[in-house]
Amino acid sequence: MPTPIYLDGHSTTPLAPEALEAMSPWWHAQVGNPHSPHLAGMLASQAVERARSDVASLIGCDPQEVVFTSGATEANNIAIRGTAFSAVERSIERREIVVSAIEHKSVLSSASSLRTAGFRIIEAPVDENGVIDISVLERVVGEQTLLVSVMAVNNEVGSVQPLAEVVRIARAAGALVHVDAAQALGKLPLDCTEFDLASLSSHKMYGPMGIGGLFVSSAAPVRPLPMLFGGGQETGIRPGTVPTPLVAGFGAAAKLSRTRLGADAAHSRALSAVFLEEIRSRQVQFFENVPEKERVPGSLSLRFPGNDAMSIIGRASDRIAISEGSACTSGQITASHVLTAMGYTQREASETLRLYFGRYNSPTEAAEAAIVLSEIVRR
Ligand code: PMP
């Protein structure tokens, strides 16, 4: 049976061959803890620092501002909880954290967990396209705001957020800015030096799973406290042995993404256009939840009225790998908080599919996916 066409790049992307190659020696042939003082350790340390430079170049910062973590979930936890605890420790009196209503759960849950520590969490709404409402943000960010956390690109619907405006509003109020950039890395140019903190994930940009990073600006007035305590690695913000193979893979993926940024975006945009043209030609009724001008290239959030997304996914699964717009929590299907925040009903959310056309997809695959979906939906 042929392998299904993989179109679920918002969940995870295939590993770039270059990343696999960069990791390969560090799994076996070259042994060494990057924190050891001997030659083997020094070689591992050099590989880690090379990768740090490559990740830093992708986001426009200094290598020393990159802290390796296990992924964006951990980076989001450190950015939000670590900053809040740091503020408490330093007797900074601001006790409000503002997030968008469509953040990843690791941001929303990190923020809510701080309620018991005396923080007020304010969720700024988004419009029907999944873009944060700047006028509301302007009203809710004020002198009590410690941190504003807004994602660069949403992982469920692909909407791109107006970060320049977010930064302007936060700075005017003297608040810190955190950006969850997990879905923007390698898809959009990103200059993290505008922010105080930014979360990165390797497996959303053709690198290995289990590795990511937190950008911590050297200019940030408050540095987050660690969530773990140990040997003081990664400037004490994230102790634990740095995993050389994963970091080497992340670095190689970052280097590749930097050189391919424009080409990858153009390719992704072209493939989603092929898909849309093919499916439209088949008279299938569907709606695009996010218009092209608001979404990251290659991402599609589509609603097929009268069709249950989970049932489409099940029937298509031996031919295409796609994802749904509702989250399955404890065995119960609940409407996605992202689609709900955009104003969709539970039913509309349950009719929504999420697709992503990435670097390793071809136009033939895009057309084939449209054929498979239209056959299922029409049946
Ligand atoms: N933030 C966003 C926007 C994401 O899409 C994801 C992954 N789904 C995460 C955070 C968590 O990333 P990781 O898997 O690296 O922990």
Side-chain angles (χ1 to χ4, degrees):
M1 198 168 69
T3 326
I5 300 166
Y6 187 80
L7 300 176
D8 196 18
H10 279 306
S11 295
T12 194
T13 47
L15 188 68
E18 291 85 345
L20 182 62
E21 197 186 329
M23 283 195 286
S24 167
W26 300 104
W27 288 119
H28 181 73
Q30 283 194 263
V31 65
N33 184 320
H35 315 292
S36 295
H38 45 65
L39 180 63
M42 270 148 47
L43 291 174
S45 169
Q46 279 167 10
V48 165
E49 295 317 313
R50 244 192 330 271
R52 200 186 302 279
S53 290
D54 287 329
V55 172
S57 295
L58 180 64
I59 61 171
C61 74
D62 192 89
Q64 298 322 309
E65 295 175 309
V66 174
V67 172
F68 287 120
T69 65
S70 60
T73 297
E74 186 183 7
N76 285 339
N77 274 261
I78 301 172
I80 293 173
R81 287 172 55 82
T83 299
F85 293 137
S86 185
V88 171
E89 192 179 83
R90 298 176 53 186
S91 306
I92 295 170
E93 280 170 7
R94 294 172 177 247
R95 287 290 178 276
E96 283 178 4
I97 293 176
V98 179
V99 296
S100 89
I102 58 164
E103 293 303 304
H104 188 262
K105 290 284 181 193
S106 55
V107 165
L108 294 177
S109 309
S110 292
S112 332
S113 74
L114 291 165
R115 288 204 170 97
T116 50
F119 283 83
R120 196 169 152 236
I121 311 306
I122 300 167
E123 275 188 23
V126 295
D127 65 15
E128 70 280 9
N129 295 333
V131 178
I132 192 166
D133 187 328
I134 287 295
S135 60
V136 176
L137 192 71
E138 202 133 31
R139 269 204 313 279
V140 298
V141 173
E143 59 186 23
Q144 271 305 308
T145 312
L146 172 68
L147 178 70
V148 178
S149 178
V150 175
M151 65 200 334
V153 171
N154 179 265
N155 52 305
E156 289 189 30
V157 297
S159 52
V160 179
Q161 303 304 313
L163 294 181
E165 290 288 275
V166 173
V167 169
R168 178 184 61 78
I169 292 167
R171 295 281 179 244
L176 295 158
V177 180
H178 167 244
V179 171
D180 176 352
Q183 295 285 348
L185 275 196
K187 296 189 179 88
L188 293 176
L190 201 68
D191 179 4
C192 282
T193 53
E194 299 293 314
F195 322 133
D196 295 292
L197 300 149
S199 301
L200 322 171
S201 178
S202 149
H203 74 104
K204 313 284 186 188
M205 44 166 277
Y206 311 103
M209 288 178 169
I211 187 76
L214 178 64
F215 158 75
V216 183
S217 168
S218 53
V222 180
R223 269 177 90 72
L225 287 183
M227 295 291 101
L228 302 171
F229 297 87
Q233 295 91 342
E234 297 298 280
T235 58
I237 291 181
R238 207 292 193 169
T241 302
V242 173
T244 314
L246 298 181
V247 166
F250 184 19
K255 191 171 177 182
L256 194 61
S257 281
R258 184 159 171 252
T259 56
R260 294 192 48 113
L261 202 55
D264 277 353
H267 177 69
S268 288
R269 192 177 290 115
L271 293 193
S272 52
V274 167
F275 171 89
L276 287 172
E277 198 184 315
E278 185 67 44
I279 199 161
R280 280 195 188 111
S281 76
R282 288 165 185 270
Q283 275 88 45
V284 174
Q285 198 203 10
F286 69 94
F287 298 101
E288 291 173 54
N289 291 337
V290 180
E292 183 164 8
K293 69 178 182 21
E294 307 283 9
R295 66 184 184 232
V296 78
S299 177
L300 290 177
S301 171
L302 304 179
R303 192 157 46 84
F304 293 87
N307 286 274
D308 179 55
M310 286 306 285
S311 145
I312 298 178
I313 292 165
R315 281 185 282 163
S317 70
D318 58 344
R319 295 166 72 191
I320 47 175
I322 48 174
S323 208
E324 82 284 11
S326 28
C328 182
T329 314
S330 325
Q332 282 205 318
I333 302 291
T334 54
S336 129
H337 70 286
V338 176
L339 292 165
T340 309
M342 288 164 66
Y344 291 106
T345 61
Q346 172 126 11
R347 185 197 171 95
E348 287 166 335
S350 72
E351 295 167 341
T352 292
L353 289 175
R354 162 181 90 162
L355 289 80
Y356 181 73
F357 297 91
R359 184 189 293 162
Y360 301 110
N361 292 123
S362 66
T364 315
E365 289 182 333
E368 175 69 17
I371 294 167
V372 171
L373 272 183
S374 53
E375 276 170 6
I376 291 173
V377 170
R378 276 208 312 258
R379 216 180 286 146

